[in-house]
Amino acid sequence: MYATQALTHLVPLAAEELDKNKVTPGVLGFLVFAALAVGVWALMKSMNRHMGRVNFEEAPDPDAVAAEPAGGKGKAAAPGK
């Protein structure tokens, strides 16, 4: 016996229990939800790849380094004294 033949015997049983006034998402709703889930997964994978390429170490400002005097580091260490 084929699966389609088995399902055709069960359809009349399900039709009696089905409330015709009830709205269900059905197969189309599932496909849309699955497509959104795959899209979110792809975006997160891409984000993780891009975040791995980011260099989080900040380069020193060349203007601040050039303007800083040679003895300024010792004075900046103790501003309250």
Side-chain angles (χ1 to χ4, degrees):
M1 181 174 216
Y2 294 109
T4 54
Q5 288 177 340
L7 288 176
T8 56
H9 292 290
L10 295 176
V11 169
L13 298 175
E16 293 173 3
E17 297 174 9
L18 182 66
D19 183 14
K20 295 188 187 234
N21 295 325
K22 184 178 178 183
V23 177
T24 60
V27 176
L28 181 62
F30 173 75
L31 291 176
V32 169
F33 181 77
L36 287 172
V38 168
V40 167
W41 176 79
L43 284 172
M44 290 187 69
K45 187 170 180 163
S46 174
M47 181 191 68
N48 283 334
R49 193 176 326 126
H50 282 86
M51 290 298 287
R53 295 179 185 166
V54 173
N55 182 8
F56 288 104
E57 294 178 12
E58 185 175 341
D61 188 17
D63 295 333
V65 173
E68 183 177 308
K73 290 184 182 180
K75 293 180 183 175
K81 293 182 181 180

